[in-house]
Amino acid sequence: MSNRFTTQWTLFVSLLTTSILYGQVIPIETQQNALVLQTDASKRVGISYFGPRLQQTAEYGSIIKESRQQDENAGIFNSAYTPSGSWSLCEPAIRITHADGNTSLELQYQSHQTQKQDDNVSLTTVILKDPAYAVEVTLYYKTYAKENVVEQWSTIRNQEKGTITLHKYASANLYFVGKQFHLTHYHGGWAHEMNPEETQLKAGILSLDSKLGTRANLFQPPTFMLSFDKPASEEEGKVLLGTLGWSGNFKIDFETDTYNNLRLIAGINPHASEYPLTAGQEFKTPSFIYTYSDHGKGEASRNLHRWARKYRILDGEGSRLTLLNNWEATYFDFNEQKLTGLFADGKKLGVDLFLLDDGWFANKYPRNGDNAGLGDWKENAKKLPHGIGYLVKEAQKAGVKFGIWVEPEMVNPKSELYEKHPEWVIKQPARPEHYFRNQLVLDLSNPKVQDFVFGILDDLFTKNPDLAFIKWDCNAVIYNAHSEYLKSAKQAESKLYVDYVLGLYKVLERVRAKYPKVPMMLCSGGGGRVDYEALKYFTEFWPSDNTDPLERIFMQWEYSYFYPTIAHCDHVTDWGKQPLKYRTDVAMMGKMGYDIVVSKLDEKDLQFSQQSVATYRSISDVVWHGDLYRMVNPRENDFASLMFVNGDKSRSVWFNYMVSSRFGAGSGRAVPLKGLDPKKKYALKEINLYPGTQSKITKEAVYTGDFLMTAGFNPAVNLNRTSVIIELTEVK
Ligand code: DGJ
């Protein structure tokens, strides 16, 4: 009896204190969603709500009281930034050692404010302080209302008298309440990037992480989809799409607690990365970017695309250049004569630009293979006696622009640069060198190395102002992490992984300050590096060296959840066994380019390719700027089907690709379309037909959007028509 009384009394007191003391309610809202923070009696800031936005902001408080009751037990609190060494028994967002060696941290609410930056963008800042030590943390939540995207980061300020050390310093800490959580994450390697894995999160921690340093995405990217209650589909279910904007080591922890609720902590990987902050110094973490939808993955990905085009990717709402790249046509084996012939081929094909790939530089150790020359950025006099300037002019004469490949962060041990500056190279002084593609990484924490890397680009542009495109490659990971620079500057060597990335951004800032518009492709031996911080400086990225179109359908499908089409470079090459039309149709669903020997195309293939480039130009506005809808998932069907719809829903391009060659495989039935205006009438026309083939679609094919989205239309993709592109145009 007395026990029951005590329990009820405790509950009563607890409810009373809840309503009196849980004062600060901080709603962070987009048009459709809300994240609500609230302080408790100990001034801790917790997450009390995450989900669809409520109509009455005042009602957020009522949800909070419910959830608070259970969270107070067992050192589990739904913290908005979980500290370490005090009351929390969970995975921390932040762990530090104070100047006096103490390892505890408590963060109490100080103040918050929300500033509207314009009609769409707001920034909420929440300041937290340790009551016992002079350490301040500010949490930032930048909301993009229409796109339903939140960008979250934090700053940690050392106001102590001595140096503190950051051991873990996450960007974001979220807390979700749900019945179940299903995580889709990705893994892969060279030429097989972006393989999805869906798993139900069970008790314990699952972490996505990278320790590769430079090519951080090579085995696992920092992108994921998190479904609430049950796995989300394209159109249904609650799902969060998240990613970290950081071109280096990352760690994203998903910790399922004893209540089956989920704590997400995303940020720089703390692995071997203790970061000292001297008195007065501040550390800004990278951005964690996410969107949430309760209408499935399709809507969530369109949210992210709209945000990325408008706010993040360089020139994200602009246009792109189609190009012919020589990598697979020549590899390292070319000279001026061969190249000028290729310029003419590019013109014949109809593309905008010729891109000269690897192998154009170095003299003492010529770049005739991947084992020498990296670092020596002077034209190879044998291959290019008249230099890059001559090539730029010759390309222009032929009627195409000229772009060039660089890999400025790297060095081959067989190079003049290595001989001159071994202290610029990341390696352990007392250990054997360890190579990745016969090369090593330059130490970008060193300002002199930053100058050198910037100088490579600056020199190219200064000497060749008409240079129209850069492909920036990055083919090695960081082994033997050690910096001579940090050592000689008496700085902690554990800063290297972080300072490398910050050094890279400093260089890219300088490049963009001087050359704001030149399109640049982010490449990393395929898709080893892509994220939303790097894409501030790049117009596009190379998803994989694997351009086999069948593989690409799957890969591009997965990339498409996180990055809009305008940023995916998809090239027609000789990889795969499929006919040219299929290879071309697959490249057309991205930013199309070519890497083939044009002179080897027979007459019909050439005619087809010329027509494809022209067709692509006519549909590129819809593909680059339109909304993407996925109808038939290639992992579950004989074929893939997806479409792009432009802003006013007057035009659409619909792509269909066979992924099975089994007897009888094919569409065989109508595919309901998506994203059209039900009231509008659309004329359907098959495009990009191979010369001499007839379309199955009659000229009279005109239907309402309602019909097409309800009854659907059969694209008749089958073993005889392995890829089909249909253009839909509004008929008034
Ligand atoms: C790796 C890239 O992914 C390729 O496209 C090509 O540029 C080579 N590097 C050149 O070495």
Side-chain angles (χ1 to χ4, degrees):
M1 190 69 180
S2 87
N3 264 353
R4 240 178 86 196
F5 175 76
T6 318
T7 313
Q8 281 175 353
W9 174 246
T10 314
L11 188 63
F12 171 70
V13 171
S14 161
L15 277 170
L16 198 70
T17 38
T18 302
S19 52
I20 296 170
L21 294 169
Y22 292 177
Q24 295 294 339
V25 179
I26 311 169
I28 294 153
E29 294 173 312
T30 62
Q31 253 175 21
Q32 283 166 12
N33 306 318
L35 165 72
V36 182
L37 312 181
Q38 193 176 10
T39 55
D40 75 352
S42 317
K43 289 178 144 187
R44 297 180 298 184
V45 179
I47 293 171
S48 51
Y49 178 74
F50 181 91
R53 178 182 176 152
L54 301 185
Q55 285 175 13
Q56 300 288 326
T57 307
E59 286 187 340
Y60 288 125
S62 314
I63 305 169
I64 290 152
K65 289 170 207 154
E66 296 288 311
S67 57
R68 278 302 159 113
Q69 299 316 308
Q70 57 168 332
D71 295 330
E72 292 294 345
N73 304 305
I76 297 173
F77 173 69
N78 40 359
S79 175
Y81 204 67
T82 313
S84 170
S86 49
W87 51 265
S88 173
L89 305 177
C90 302
E91 183 62 27
I94 179 166
R95 188 165 77 80
I96 69 173
T97 301
H98 296 281
D100 67 0
N102 186 285
T103 55
S104 71
L105 184 70
E106 166 65 308
L107 292 171
Q108 290 187 343
Y109 171 85
Q110 294 298 309
S111 65
H112 77 276
Q113 60 167 338
T114 299
Q115 277 179 326
K116 239 178 149 16
Q117 301 194 332
D118 60 34
D119 279 353
N120 196 41
V121 184
S122 297
L123 181 66
T124 299
T125 50
V126 183
I127 299 179
L128 312 171
K129 266 192 177 155
D130 188 329
Y133 282 90
V135 171
E136 187 179 285
V137 171
T138 306
L139 307 179
Y140 294 83
Y141 302 85
K142 192 168 184 179
T143 53
Y144 300 83
K146 272 193 237 138
E147 294 77 17
N148 292 296
V149 166
V150 180
E151 186 181 351
Q152 211 178 310
W153 70 96
S154 60
T155 55
I156 302 152
R157 190 178 309 157
N158 176 15
Q159 293 166 328
E160 297 183 19
K161 290 206 171 71
T163 299
I164 68 170
T165 302
L166 310 183
H167 302 283
K168 190 168 186 190
Y169 32 105
S171 301
N173 183 164
L174 290 167
Y175 189 80
F176 308 118
V177 177
K179 290 191 203 93
Q180 289 177 3
F181 298 95
H182 295 261
L183 178 71
T184 305
H185 58 105
Y186 296 87
H187 62 94
W190 180 78
H192 64 116
E193 290 86 347
M194 286 304 267
N195 301 290
E197 200 76 63
E198 188 165 57
T199 174
Q200 184 180 344
L201 294 171
K202 296 283 175 73
I205 300 188
L206 187 150
S207 298
L208 310 180
D209 93 327
S210 170
K211 302 181 188 78
L212 304 179
T214 43
R215 311 182 60 195
N217 294 18
L218 186 60
F219 300 145
Q220 189 160 59
T223 45
F224 65 88
M225 297 195 246
L226 180 69
S227 301
F228 296 62
D229 301 340
K230 60 178 186 188
S233 66
E234 271 307 301
E235 304 300 322
E236 284 175 353
K238 304 173 191 170
V239 64
L240 178 145
L241 265 57
T243 186
L244 188 78
W246 180 247
S247 313
N249 295 348
F250 61 84
K251 186 155 189 268
I252 306 177
D253 300 312
F254 299 86
E255 182 179 31
T256 309
D257 71 18
T258 111
Y259 301 114
N260 261 338
N261 295 329
L262 185 69
R263 173 174 296 96
L264 183 158
I265 293 172
I268 289 175
N269 197 335
H271 164 77
S273 295
E274 286 78 21
Y275 206 92
L277 286 189
T278 53
Q281 227 190 331
E282 182 178 280
F283 186 87
K284 180 174 182 250
T285 69
S287 291
F288 175 65
I289 296 142
Y290 64 91
T291 184
Y292 171 81
S293 166
D294 49 11
H295 294 103
K297 299 172 186 174
E299 183 179 89
S301 73
R302 287 186 290 279
N303 282 341
L304 206 51
H305 295 173
R306 289 192 194 117
W307 169 82
R309 286 193 299 257
K310 184 157 185 199
Y311 294 104
R312 191 46 65 107
I313 297 170
L314 189 85
D315 201 20
E317 293 185 315
S319 66
R320 297 290 184 268
L321 299 169
T322 54
L323 58 84
L324 174 66
N325 185 198
N326 71 312
W327 176 238
E328 291 183 16
T330 65
Y331 293 104
F332 296 97
D333 180 21
F334 55 81
N335 56 29
E336 277 174 355
Q337 200 193 350
K338 229 186 208 178
L339 292 181
T340 47
L342 296 181
F343 301 161
D345 285 349
K347 178 64 185 169
K348 205 192 283 175
L349 200 55
V351 293
D352 302 310
L353 178 121
F354 176 83
L355 170 61
L356 174 59
D357 215 285
D358 196 354
W360 58 267
F361 50 90
N363 288 290
K364 182 171 174 189
Y365 303 104
R367 181 75 174 165
N368 292 329
D370 64 16
N371 62 340
L374 268 183
D376 301 345
W377 298 99
K378 284 266 171 301
E379 295 95 328
N380 178 275
K382 259 200 193 145
K383 288 184 194 173
L384 307 178
H386 299 97
I388 297 296
Y390 168 79
L391 294 178
V392 177
K393 285 206 185 77
E394 285 303 304
Q396 282 172 336
K397 265 196 231 160
V400 287
K401 296 176 187 217
F402 184 86
I404 201 161
W405 176 98
V406 290
E407 195 181 357
E409 298 157 76
M410 301 288 159
V411 63
N412 282 124
K414 240 173 141 186
S415 69
E416 291 183 74
L417 179 69
Y418 184 94
E419 288 173 351
K420 205 165 152 204
H421 285 296
E423 79 286 5
W424 283 7
V425 179
I426 296 179
K427 59 192 174 87
Q428 287 287 354
R431 295 187 194 281
E433 290 177 2
H434 200 70
Y435 307 124
F436 197 107
R437 207 197 189 203
N438 305 309
Q439 64 195 57
L440 293 164
V441 182
L442 292 175
D443 177 7
L444 271 174
S445 73
N446 183 343
K448 284 198 181 130
V449 177
Q450 293 167 22
D451 289 345
F452 170 78
V453 172
F454 171 74
I456 299 165
L457 276 287
D458 195 31
D459 190 53
L460 278 168
F461 284 127
T462 311
K463 290 187 182 142
N464 310 289
D466 288 339
L467 204 56
F469 190 91
I470 296 286
K471 176 177 177 181
W472 181 307
D473 208 343
C474 168
N475 285 293
V477 299
I478 295 181
Y479 291 121
N480 283 327
H482 165 84
S483 161
E484 271 309 296
Y485 166 74
L486 290 173
K487 190 181 164 209
S488 60
K490 300 213 173 350
Q491 294 192 45
E493 286 183 42
S494 56
K495 286 172 72 185
L496 178 59
Y497 284 122
V498 171
D499 282 1
Y500 181 90
V501 180
L502 296 178
L504 174 67
Y505 294 153
K506 277 187 196 154
V507 173
L508 290 167
E509 277 297 326
R510 286 168 72 184
V511 170
R512 282 315 182 188
K514 201 159 172 193
Y515 310 102
K517 287 249 156 71
V518 185
M520 292 210 300
M521 181 204 289
L522 177 59
C523 173
S524 181
R529 183 196 264 174
V530 55
D531 65 84
Y532 274 124
E533 191 61 25
L535 284 173
K536 278 182 177 170
Y537 308 100
F538 290 87
T539 48
E540 52 220 80
F541 72 95
W542 184 234
S544 176
D545 276 349
N546 188 340
T547 45
D548 176 327
L550 189 58
E551 295 293 331
R552 274 298 185 114
I553 288 168
F554 293 88
M555 232 181 253
Q556 290 170 201
W557 185 276
E558 300 302 332
Y559 271 118
S560 84
Y561 284 107
F562 304 96
Y563 301 102
T565 312
I566 193 162
H568 298 215
C569 298
D570 300 327
H571 291 183
V572 180
T573 72
D574 288 329
W575 282 59
K577 297 190 181 76
Q578 294 79 6
L580 182 63
K581 165 157 168 66
Y582 189 91
R583 288 184 270 144
T584 310
D585 284 357
V586 172
M588 272 191 172
M589 68 148 124
K591 201 225 99 174
M592 185 169 75
Y594 284 84
D595 201 338
I596 51 168
V597 184
V598 178
S599 58
K600 283 195 189 152
L601 296 177
D602 67 24
E603 206 181 311
K604 262 193 172 174
D605 277 356
L606 177 63
Q607 188 194 338
F608 169 72
S609 301
Q610 289 167 328
Q611 165 209 304
S612 299
V613 174
T615 303
Y616 183 71
R617 198 158 279 136
S618 76
I619 61 169
S620 57
D621 179 43
V622 184
V623 174
W624 294 343
H625 309 120
D627 276 329
L628 168 61
Y629 294 86
R630 302 174 198 84
M631 282 90 68
V632 180
N633 186 335
R635 284 179 207 279
E636 294 157 11
N637 297 277
D638 290 344
F639 67 107
S641 188
L642 58 129
M643 64 195 279
F644 296 89
V645 183
N646 74 345
D648 68 3
K649 297 185 185 289
S650 60
R651 278 185 83 198
S652 166
V653 188
W654 174 21
F655 296 91
N656 302 278
Y657 310 102
M658 288 299 294
V659 294
S660 164
S661 53
R662 296 194 67 183
F663 179 79
S667 56
R669 62 184 161 81
V671 174
L673 301 190
K674 293 178 184 173
L676 300 172
D677 181 338
K679 293 204 186 78
K680 285 193 163 114
K681 277 187 179 166
Y682 296 92
L684 275 66
K685 185 182 162 206
E686 185 169 353
I687 57 172
N688 213 35
L689 286 161
Y690 194 78
T693 53
Q694 291 292 319
S695 173
K696 294 264 177 210
I697 297 162
T698 60
K699 288 216 172 67
E700 298 78 48
V702 175
Y703 302 93
T704 60
D706 177 40
F707 177 88
L708 290 168
M709 292 193 291
T710 313
F713 188 86
N714 186 352
V717 60
N718 55 45
L719 297 181
N720 298 319
R721 285 159 48 83
T722 53
S723 62
V724 175
I725 308 182
I726 297 170
E727 185 178 6
L728 290 85
T729 316
E730 183 186 358
V731 182
K732 294 227 173 154

